[in-house]
């Protein structure tokens, strides 16, 4: 595994050269770190699945540096264009009818492609310098926590990427919100970094979130996902009874836990959901590292970024 390289103009040029040459690069975005390859090169995209141990039915998000570039990949109607103009660059992924140029492996054989223009300056510079759209899922092993630091990505992808770009902790800390357009109406496929309420100001009421499960509407919406090593339990209103011989970790929303647990982390002392989202994966990772067998997680309010947080906690808790 290459050591993370601090972001610089030279490092971005080197990363872009790897992408152009069919290699893979870990790079920061404002949501989480991504593992990128040339989206138009099927062989390079296949390496992503290999490195992540990601099943081939789980399609990749393609990252672009402009709406114009998005147009080369998908059919974009006026509704989708309005969302791009309002929210790009930013944490919104749109699933749209794909054009032929996008290789099957990128979309897992679907006739749609997921597109996003990231806001992170390093990500944008990389896509521009590469001169090609960049397919990039989160830079973690399949099913594990998404990395919010370069070190966390590197630790999970042992024999993998050609280069790891490091620009510190990601700002948003949870993945993008994924929206699909069906019969002229948008649906949320995955709650994420762009709160539902903000999207609804443009679209009006969104269709209900499509549920994961055995045959998810979106292939990546597996029930079990985004998991720490430890087992995770979302706690309810009744006090938790701790069992002897088990090392508990505790993920609190705003204040220290009353229960006598081995280690705990607080998502946001002020109850700020954006701060809580930014801390979610790194705190879970730290509780893992502290050796917790079971992580008890407090629920957070189900509004704004709280929807994305609760979605990730439920998936982490699924067996
Ligand atoms: P990740 O790249 O790990 O953040 O995950 C990307 C997720 O976007 C996938 O796991 C799917 O849930 C979703 N996605 C990507 N492409 C499509 C598509 N063509 N149709 C539906 N969902 C998609
Ligand atoms: Mg992922």
């Amino acid at each position: 595994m290459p050591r993370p390289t601090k972001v610089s103009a030279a490092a971005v040029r080197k990363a872009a050269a790897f992408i152009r040459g069919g290699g893979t690069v870990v790079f920061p975005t404002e949501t989480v770190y991504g593992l990128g390859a040339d989206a138009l090169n099927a062989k390079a995209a296949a390496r992503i699945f290999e490195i992540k141990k990601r099943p081939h039915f789980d399609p990749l998000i393609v990252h672009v540096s402009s709406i114009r570039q998005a147009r080369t990949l998908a059919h974009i109607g006026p509704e989708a264009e309005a969302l791009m103009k309002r929210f790009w660059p930013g944490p919104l992924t749109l699933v749209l009818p794909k054009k032929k140029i996008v290789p099957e492996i990128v979309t897992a054989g679907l006739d749609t492609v997921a597109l996003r223009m990231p806001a992170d300056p390093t990500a944008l510079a990389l896509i521009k310098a590469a001169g090609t759209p960049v397919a990039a899922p989160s830079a973690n092993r399949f099913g594990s926590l998404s990395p919010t630091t370069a070190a966390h990505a590197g630790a999970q992808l042992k024999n993998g990427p050609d280069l790891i770009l490091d620009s510190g902790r990601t700002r948003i800390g949870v993945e993008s919100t994924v929206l699909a357009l069906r019969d002229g109406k948008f649906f949320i496929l995955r709650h994420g970094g762009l709160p539902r309420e903000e999207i609804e100001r443009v679209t009006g009421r969104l269709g209900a979130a499509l549920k994961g499960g055995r045959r998810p509407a979106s292939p990546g919406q597996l029930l079990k996902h985004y998991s720490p090593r430890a087992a995770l339990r979302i706690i309810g209103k009744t006090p938790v009874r701790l069992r002897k011989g088990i090392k508990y970790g505790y993920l609190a929303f705003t204040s220290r836990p009353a229960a006598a647990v081995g280690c705990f982390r607080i998502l946001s002392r002020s109850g700020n959901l954006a701060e809580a989202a930014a801390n979610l994966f790194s705190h879970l990772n730290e509780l893992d590292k502290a050796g917790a067998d079971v992580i008890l997680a407090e629920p957070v309010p189900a509004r704004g970024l709280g929807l994305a947080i609760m979605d990730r906690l439920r998936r982490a808790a699924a067996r």
Side-chain angles (χ1 to χ4, degrees):
M1 194 247 320
R3 296 239 317 270
T5 307
K6 282 261 168 301
V7 164
S8 66
V12 170
R13 274 198 302 278
K14 201 167 153 196
F18 275 124
I19 300 265
R20 274 198 306 276
T24 55
V25 169
V26 169
F27 65 100
T29 80
E30 71 275 30
T31 58
V32 299
Y33 275 74
L35 172 63
D38 181 352
L40 302 181
N41 177 340
K43 220 169 132 197
R47 269 296 283 156
I48 293 178
F49 289 88
E50 227 169 75
I51 294 172
K52 276 190 61 117
K53 312 219 179 307
R54 180 172 172 121
H56 283 260
F57 58 75
D58 195 358
L60 306 176
I61 294 175
V62 178
H63 294 72
V64 296
S65 58
S66 65
I67 297 181
R68 184 146 58 100
Q69 190 173 40
R71 272 190 214 297
T72 64
L73 306 170
H75 300 280
I76 300 171
E79 308 94 337
E81 183 170 336
L83 287 175
M84 290 173 178
K85 286 198 166 136
R86 173 70 184 78
F87 294 115
W88 280 10
L92 174 68
T93 296
L94 292 166
V95 173
L96 300 166
K98 90 180 203 48
K99 290 190 173 168
K100 263 219 181 73
I101 189 174
V102 185
E104 296 254 302
I105 185 158
V106 169
T107 61
L110 298 172
D111 52 9
T112 50
V113 61
L115 298 178
R116 178 166 104 83
M117 177 177 172
D120 182 276
T122 301
L124 277 179
L126 174 64
I127 302 163
K128 277 185 197 149
T132 184
V134 174
S138 49
N140 53 282
R141 277 177 74 110
F142 179 72
S144 303
L145 297 173
S146 298
T148 52
T149 64
H152 187 201
Q156 294 195 62
L157 307 176
K158 286 271 155 53
N159 43 21
D162 295 302
L163 188 80
I164 299 178
L165 286 175
D166 183 356
S167 70
R169 271 181 66 152
T170 61
R171 180 167 57 82
I172 294 176
V174 289
E175 301 83 350
S176 58
T177 301
V178 181
L179 274 192
L181 184 63
R182 243 173 254 168
D183 307 325
K185 207 170 159 52
F186 283 105
F187 288 85
I188 292 191
L189 289 179
R190 172 177 79 186
H191 289 289
L194 182 65
R196 168 194 197 123
E197 295 88 333
E198 281 190 40
I199 302 170
E200 287 185 333
R201 260 180 239 142
V202 176
T203 57
R205 188 116 182 95
L206 286 169
L210 298 176
K211 289 266 182 300
R214 260 176 180 279
R215 297 187 53 209
S218 174
Q221 294 303 69
L222 299 171
L223 187 55
K224 177 138 189 79
H225 213 91
Y226 310 111
S227 305
R229 183 193 44 73
L232 187 137
R233 255 174 61 202
I234 301 172
I235 58 176
K237 292 223 161 34
T238 46
V240 273
R241 215 183 287 148
L242 302 182
R243 293 226 316 263
K244 274 217 181 87
I246 290 182
K247 187 161 179 193
Y248 288 93
Y250 194 99
L251 186 69
F253 180 33
T254 59
S255 51
R256 299 176 66 97
V261 289
C263 46
F264 69 89
R265 288 289 181 282
I266 296 172
L267 285 175
S268 168
R269 287 181 183 277
S270 63
N272 180 309
L273 287 167
E275 185 186 20
N279 284 329
L280 177 67
F281 289 131
S282 57
H283 281 7
L284 286 173
N285 190 32
E286 285 163 18
L287 293 172
D288 251 355
K289 279 204 187 139
D293 302 311
V294 177
I295 296 172
L296 304 172
E298 286 179 1
V300 305
R303 62 179 148 75
L305 289 176
L307 289 172
I309 296 173
M310 285 312 294
D311 171 79
R312 303 305 182 270
L313 288 178
R314 276 191 209 104
R315 285 176 210 282
R319 282 162 203 279

